[in-house]
Amino acid sequence: DVKVTQSSRYLVKRTGEKVFLECVQDMDHENMFWYRQDPGLGLRLIYFSYDVKMKEKGDIPEGYSVSREKKERFSLILESASTNQTSMYLCASSSLTGAHSPLHFGNGTRLTVT
Amino acid sequence: RKEVEQDPGPFNVPEGATVAFNCTYSNSASQSFFWYRQDCRKEPKLLMSVYSSGNEDGRFTAQLNRASQYISLLIRDSKLSDSATYLCVVINNDMRFGAGTRLTVKP
């Protein structure tokens, strides 16, 4: 079974703090994604990566950056956390083979910015 | 218009009922389709892929209607454990999620 692990289940940070959300997958997947999920809005794509050191903006990249130095790890960075970034953050990975293979999600990080 | 739209519900049905959800998409070039299930405060998990010819997995049936640009999920003989939010996913060059349909199955 694919395992996608997010480093924290719950986080509370203050406005202006720099926040790192870590995600690791163990299935040698090429693709990794960061989403946020908010009530009524569904999942919205922040950033994704198809390869090491490669990143692409999703629908809502503002206020976020990412890092993919190793294939198995994809980090989401909030340079200066704001209250409107309070959300559930979900990391996901998928295989490049068999195009459009489904996503496997981590169990999420619920971030509260006060 | 949103790229992927779902009726948010909630759908409240008794045990044993049959319930169906639709998910419409705007991009006619969309190529792959999935249904995910998400329990409260948990991550989405793949329920089933949706194939052009329609497919069935136990009590669950998924259909694709390309002409009308929607996919559907039918749940027969619903169980209490089916209570969850069901998300549709539509793929073209990226993945687009619907906001989800909440289902509650009651005794």
Side-chain angles (χ1 to χ4, degrees):
Chain A
D1 256 5
V2 176
K3 191 147 177 71
V4 181
T5 304
Q6 293 183 231
S7 53
S8 302
R9 192 81 175 94
Y10 298 96
L11 272 181
V12 180
K13 297 291 182 181
R14 293 188 183 276
T15 301
E17 277 193 79
K18 190 168 186 176
V19 182
F20 293 87
L21 302 183
E22 305 288 349
C23 175
V24 177
Q25 49 93 6
D26 66 357
M27 284 301 292
D28 202 36
H29 281 172
E30 290 81 4
N31 309 325
M32 295 189 76
F33 306 81
W34 274 106
Y35 290 86
R36 64 177 282 176
Q37 187 175 29
D38 302 286
L41 297 176
L43 280 93
R44 292 181 291 167
L45 182 63
I46 305 171
Y47 268 97
F48 60 99
S49 169
Y50 288 150
D51 202 352
V52 176
K53 295 194 187 294
M54 191 237 128
K55 59 184 178 184
E56 293 284 346
K57 292 181 179 178
D59 297 323
I60 51 163
E62 297 79 18
Y64 303 94
S65 62
V66 289
S67 172
R68 191 149 182 218
E69 295 297 318
K70 294 184 178 181
K71 191 175 185 181
E72 67 270 20
R73 185 180 297 269
F74 192 35
S75 304
L76 180 70
I77 303 151
L78 286 66
E79 295 290 342
S80 177
S82 62
T83 54
N84 63 12
Q85 292 178 309
T86 292
S87 187
M88 168 70 97
Y89 289 87
L90 288 158
C91 174
S93 72
S94 71
S95 170
L96 190 60
T97 58
H100 307 154
S101 58
L103 293 175
H104 299 270
F105 284 90
N107 57 8
T109 297
R110 189 168 290 279
L111 172 66
T112 302
V113 182
T114 61
Chain B
R1 184 186 169 190
K2 287 183 183 176
E3 292 201 35
V4 181
E5 291 202 68
Q6 291 183 253
D7 182 342
F11 284 63
N12 298 311
V13 303
E15 265 187 296
T18 296
V19 61
F21 315 129
N22 282 346
C23 169
T24 59
Y25 60 95
S26 60
N27 188 340
S28 59
S30 299
Q31 298 165 30
S32 301
F33 308 88
F34 301 95
W35 282 103
Y36 279 74
R37 172 200 167 117
Q38 186 173 22
D39 294 292
C40 190
R41 297 186 177 274
K42 298 281 183 69
E43 74 277 18
K45 292 188 177 175
L46 180 66
L47 179 65
M48 59 196 302
S49 304
V50 186
Y51 301 125
S52 298
S53 54
N55 49 299
E56 193 173 301
D57 182 1
R59 297 181 293 108
F60 298 83
T61 301
Q63 299 269 0
L64 167 63
N65 185 318
R66 284 196 184 273
S68 301
Q69 293 182 205
Y70 72 87
I71 63 172
S72 64
L73 178 68
L74 180 81
I75 306 175
R76 288 182 300 279
D77 188 24
S78 52
K79 313 288 184 194
L80 296 177
S81 57
D82 294 333
S83 297
T85 296
Y86 291 84
L87 306 170
C88 65
V89 178
V90 175
I91 300 178
N92 184 11
N93 292 317
D94 56 14
M95 287 195 175
R96 296 286 170 177
F97 282 81
T101 298
R102 192 151 60 90
L103 170 68
T104 302
V105 181
K106 301 189 172 181

